[in-house]
Amino acid sequence: MLFDQVGCGLGSSAADDARGGSRGQSEVIGAILTVAIVVILGALVGQYVFGLDIIQAGEQNVGPQISFDTTVESNDDLTIEHQSGSSAETSELTISSDSGTILDSQQLKNKVDEEWTASESITISNTNPNLKPGETVRIIWESSTTGDSTVILKYEYTP
């Protein structure tokens, strides 16, 4: 009887009654924190194991955004026109096919100067040894600062 009056008995104590007799909130918060920590650790391990560049994805150069128009002339020469979009430095461009390089950056510079801008076009002669029917012609951009490269035009040459 003495123990019941000071709150040391087996039933609920006065302190439990003041808190509402429930401790469920801290268990729920603990579970949520545990799940969050597991998800974050899983993402970090996945990034390490699979080599995913989630964190650095915004730092990659993807090249200039350019719209090209390709035309095969009556004598089978290929004309590539820069229709719209950003200009591209010719020092960062190469035109190649499955057989090899069609125009390197120096040859492009001779045709359109330092930058290839909208409404400028390049004509590739059908006598170019690397321009063969059925092959894929590509304009490849390579960043002069980071070394990243991307294909900004892919065209199947069919005279």
Side-chain angles (χ1 to χ4, degrees):
M1 182 102 135
L2 177 63
F3 291 114
D4 287 337
Q5 291 177 356
V6 292
C8 295
L10 292 174
S12 63
S13 67
D16 283 341
D17 290 339
R19 288 186 295 208
S22 172
R23 296 189 59 165
Q25 290 177 351
S26 61
E27 290 176 12
V28 170
I29 291 172
I32 291 172
L33 289 175
T34 303
V35 169
I37 290 170
V38 167
V39 168
I40 290 170
L41 287 175
L44 291 174
V45 169
Q47 180 181 1
Y48 178 75
V49 170
F50 296 113
L52 301 175
D53 290 334
I54 298 170
I55 296 172
Q56 297 176 350
E59 298 176 11
Q60 294 178 347
N61 284 327
V62 294
Q65 301 298 311
I66 301 174
S67 175
F68 291 103
D69 183 36
T70 54
T71 308
V72 177
E73 305 296 332
S74 60
N75 61 353
D76 293 341
D77 289 349
L78 175 63
T79 300
I80 303 172
E81 181 184 0
H82 180 307
Q83 283 198 316
S84 64
S86 57
S87 61
E89 293 183 33
T90 53
S91 62
E92 297 179 327
L93 298 176
T94 304
I95 300 178
S96 65
S97 70
D98 299 333
S99 298
T101 302
I102 296 174
L103 295 173
D104 62 17
S105 59
Q106 185 59 44
Q107 293 167 324
L108 281 168
K109 182 180 175 183
N110 294 338
K111 290 186 178 273
V112 292
D113 207 19
E114 297 286 329
E115 286 190 344
W116 193 359
T117 58
S119 76
E120 291 182 321
S121 62
I122 292 175
T123 301
I124 303 168
S125 173
N126 66 354
T127 60
N128 188 307
N130 292 326
L131 183 64
K132 298 177 183 171
E135 290 197 355
T136 302
V137 175
R138 294 174 185 84
I139 299 178
I140 302 167
W141 171 84
E142 183 174 353
S143 171
S144 59
T145 56
T146 64
D148 293 340
S149 66
T150 188
V151 176
I152 57 176
L153 173 71
K154 195 175 191 181
Y155 172 75
E156 186 173 334
Y157 175 67
T158 52

Short mmCIF file of all heavy atoms in Angstrom, two decimals, residues 9 20 24 32 35 37 45-46 49 54 57 61 64 66 73-75 80 89 92 95 102 107-108 129 131 150:
data_model
loop_
_atom_site.label_atom_id
_atom_site.label_comp_id
_atom_site.label_asym_id
_atom_site.label_seq_id
_atom_site.Cartn_x
_atom_site.Cartn_y
_atom_site.Cartn_z
N GLY A 9 4.65 1.21 -7.36
CA GLY A 9 3.96 -0.07 -7.48
C GLY A 9 4.04 -0.60 -8.91
O GLY A 9 4.70 -0.06 -9.78
N GLY A 20 0.28 10.91 -20.74
CA GLY A 20 -0.76 10.26 -21.50
C GLY A 20 -0.61 8.76 -21.51
O GLY A 20 -1.36 8.06 -22.16
N GLY A 24 4.46 5.83 -27.95
CA GLY A 24 4.47 5.43 -29.35
C GLY A 24 5.12 6.43 -30.28
O GLY A 24 5.62 6.08 -31.34
N ILE A 32 11.18 5.89 -38.67
CA ILE A 32 11.32 6.77 -39.84
C ILE A 32 12.78 7.13 -40.05
O ILE A 32 13.29 7.10 -41.18
CB ILE A 32 10.44 8.03 -39.68
CG1 ILE A 32 8.97 7.64 -39.78
CG2 ILE A 32 10.80 9.08 -40.73
CD1 ILE A 32 8.01 8.77 -39.46
N VAL A 35 14.69 4.10 -41.47
CA VAL A 35 14.40 3.90 -42.90
C VAL A 35 15.16 4.93 -43.74
O VAL A 35 15.75 4.62 -44.77
CB VAL A 35 12.89 3.95 -43.17
CG1 VAL A 35 12.59 4.02 -44.66
CG2 VAL A 35 12.20 2.74 -42.56
N ILE A 37 17.95 6.53 -43.05
CA ILE A 37 19.38 6.22 -43.04
C ILE A 37 19.68 5.05 -43.96
O ILE A 37 20.65 5.07 -44.73
CB ILE A 37 19.86 5.95 -41.60
CG1 ILE A 37 19.85 7.25 -40.80
CG2 ILE A 37 21.25 5.32 -41.59
CD1 ILE A 37 20.08 7.07 -39.32
N VAL A 45 25.94 3.34 -51.60
CA VAL A 45 26.55 2.08 -51.99
C VAL A 45 26.26 1.78 -53.45
O VAL A 45 27.14 1.35 -54.21
CB VAL A 45 26.06 0.93 -51.07
CG1 VAL A 45 26.47 -0.43 -51.61
CG2 VAL A 45 26.61 1.11 -49.67
N GLY A 46 25.03 2.04 -53.90
CA GLY A 46 24.68 1.83 -55.30
C GLY A 46 25.50 2.71 -56.23
O GLY A 46 25.93 2.27 -57.29
N VAL A 49 29.06 1.12 -56.26
CA VAL A 49 29.14 -0.19 -56.91
C VAL A 49 28.87 -0.08 -58.41
O VAL A 49 29.59 -0.64 -59.23
CB VAL A 49 28.15 -1.18 -56.26
CG1 VAL A 49 28.03 -2.45 -57.07
CG2 VAL A 49 28.59 -1.50 -54.84
N ILE A 54 25.49 10.34 -60.14
CA ILE A 54 24.30 11.09 -59.76
C ILE A 54 24.68 12.50 -59.31
O ILE A 54 24.06 13.48 -59.68
CB ILE A 54 23.55 10.37 -58.62
CG1 ILE A 54 23.07 9.00 -59.11
CG2 ILE A 54 22.38 11.20 -58.12
CD1 ILE A 54 22.54 8.11 -58.01
N ALA A 57 26.17 14.81 -62.34
CA ALA A 57 25.45 14.82 -63.61
C ALA A 57 25.27 16.24 -64.15
O ALA A 57 25.26 16.45 -65.35
CB ALA A 57 24.08 14.17 -63.44
N ASN A 61 29.49 18.51 -69.88
CA ASN A 61 29.22 19.27 -71.09
C ASN A 61 28.55 18.35 -72.08
O ASN A 61 29.02 17.26 -72.34
CB ASN A 61 30.53 19.81 -71.70
CG ASN A 61 31.05 20.99 -70.95
OD1 ASN A 61 30.28 21.78 -70.42
ND2 ASN A 61 32.35 21.14 -70.89
N PRO A 64 27.10 21.76 -78.03
CA PRO A 64 26.19 22.80 -78.49
C PRO A 64 24.87 22.20 -78.98
O PRO A 64 24.85 21.09 -79.52
CB PRO A 64 26.96 23.46 -79.63
CG PRO A 64 27.93 22.44 -80.10
CD PRO A 64 28.26 21.61 -78.90
N ILE A 66 22.36 22.30 -81.67
CA ILE A 66 22.31 22.79 -83.04
C ILE A 66 21.33 21.95 -83.83
O ILE A 66 21.27 20.73 -83.68
CB ILE A 66 23.70 22.72 -83.70
CG1 ILE A 66 24.71 23.55 -82.93
CG2 ILE A 66 23.64 23.19 -85.14
CD1 ILE A 66 26.14 23.42 -83.43
N GLU A 73 23.04 16.88 -103.08
CA GLU A 73 22.87 17.64 -104.32
C GLU A 73 22.76 16.70 -105.52
O GLU A 73 22.98 15.50 -105.40
CB GLU A 73 24.08 18.59 -104.50
CG GLU A 73 24.33 19.51 -103.32
CD GLU A 73 23.21 20.51 -103.07
OE1 GLU A 73 22.51 20.88 -104.03
OE2 GLU A 73 23.04 20.93 -101.92
N SER A 74 22.44 17.26 -106.66
CA SER A 74 22.25 16.45 -107.87
C SER A 74 23.54 15.73 -108.30
O SER A 74 23.48 14.67 -108.92
CB SER A 74 21.74 17.32 -109.01
OG SER A 74 22.68 18.34 -109.30
N ASN A 75 24.69 16.28 -107.96
CA ASN A 75 25.96 15.61 -108.29
C ASN A 75 26.46 14.72 -107.15
O ASN A 75 27.62 14.34 -107.12
CB ASN A 75 27.01 16.66 -108.65
CG ASN A 75 27.30 17.61 -107.50
OD1 ASN A 75 26.63 17.58 -106.47
ND2 ASN A 75 28.29 18.46 -107.69
N ILE A 80 25.66 20.20 -95.62
CA ILE A 80 25.18 20.24 -94.24
C ILE A 80 25.04 21.70 -93.86
O ILE A 80 26.01 22.45 -93.88
CB ILE A 80 26.15 19.53 -93.28
CG1 ILE A 80 26.38 18.08 -93.71
CG2 ILE A 80 25.61 19.59 -91.85
CD1 ILE A 80 27.46 17.37 -92.94
N GLU A 89 32.41 26.25 -82.15
CA GLU A 89 33.78 26.53 -82.55
C GLU A 89 34.27 25.39 -83.42
O GLU A 89 34.16 24.22 -83.05
CB GLU A 89 34.67 26.69 -81.33
CG GLU A 89 34.35 27.91 -80.50
CD GLU A 89 35.31 28.08 -79.34
OE1 GLU A 89 36.51 27.71 -79.50
OE2 GLU A 89 34.87 28.57 -78.30
N GLU A 92 36.51 22.54 -82.20
CA GLU A 92 35.95 21.46 -81.38
C GLU A 92 35.13 20.46 -82.20
O GLU A 92 34.52 19.56 -81.64
CB GLU A 92 35.07 22.05 -80.28
CG GLU A 92 35.82 22.93 -79.30
CD GLU A 92 34.93 23.52 -78.22
OE1 GLU A 92 33.76 23.80 -78.49
OE2 GLU A 92 35.44 23.70 -77.10
N ILE A 95 34.05 16.09 -88.68
CA ILE A 95 33.04 15.36 -89.44
C ILE A 95 33.69 14.06 -89.90
O ILE A 95 34.76 14.08 -90.52
CB ILE A 95 32.53 16.17 -90.65
CG1 ILE A 95 31.89 17.48 -90.17
CG2 ILE A 95 31.52 15.35 -91.45
CD1 ILE A 95 31.41 18.38 -91.28
N ILE A 102 36.24 12.78 -92.46
CA ILE A 102 35.90 13.47 -93.70
C ILE A 102 36.49 14.87 -93.69
O ILE A 102 37.19 15.28 -94.60
CB ILE A 102 34.37 13.52 -93.90
CG1 ILE A 102 33.82 12.10 -94.06
CG2 ILE A 102 34.01 14.38 -95.10
CD1 ILE A 102 32.32 12.01 -94.12
N GLN A 107 40.16 21.80 -91.54
CA GLN A 107 39.43 21.87 -92.81
C GLN A 107 38.08 22.57 -92.62
O GLN A 107 37.65 23.32 -93.49
CB GLN A 107 39.24 20.46 -93.38
CG GLN A 107 40.53 19.82 -93.81
CD GLN A 107 40.38 18.33 -94.08
OE1 GLN A 107 39.64 17.63 -93.40
NE2 GLN A 107 41.11 17.84 -95.08
N LEU A 108 37.43 22.33 -91.49
CA LEU A 108 36.18 23.04 -91.19
C LEU A 108 36.43 24.53 -91.04
O LEU A 108 35.65 25.36 -91.50
CB LEU A 108 35.55 22.49 -89.91
CG LEU A 108 34.79 21.19 -90.05
CD1 LEU A 108 34.47 20.63 -88.68
CD2 LEU A 108 33.53 21.41 -90.84
N PRO A 129 37.20 10.45 -100.21
CA PRO A 129 37.35 8.99 -100.07
C PRO A 129 36.61 8.40 -98.87
O PRO A 129 36.32 7.20 -98.85
CB PRO A 129 38.87 8.79 -99.94
CG PRO A 129 39.40 10.11 -99.53
CD PRO A 129 38.47 11.15 -100.07
N LEU A 131 33.58 9.47 -97.83
CA LEU A 131 32.14 9.67 -98.00
C LEU A 131 31.65 8.62 -98.98
O LEU A 131 31.75 8.78 -100.20
CB LEU A 131 31.84 11.08 -98.51
CG LEU A 131 30.38 11.45 -98.65
CD1 LEU A 131 29.69 11.43 -97.29
CD2 LEU A 131 30.22 12.81 -99.30
N THR A 150 30.56 14.35 -77.87
CA THR A 150 29.23 13.85 -78.19
C THR A 150 28.98 14.00 -79.69
O THR A 150 29.59 14.86 -80.34
CB THR A 150 28.15 14.59 -77.38
OG1 THR A 150 26.90 13.96 -77.59
CG2 THR A 150 28.05 16.05 -77.76
#
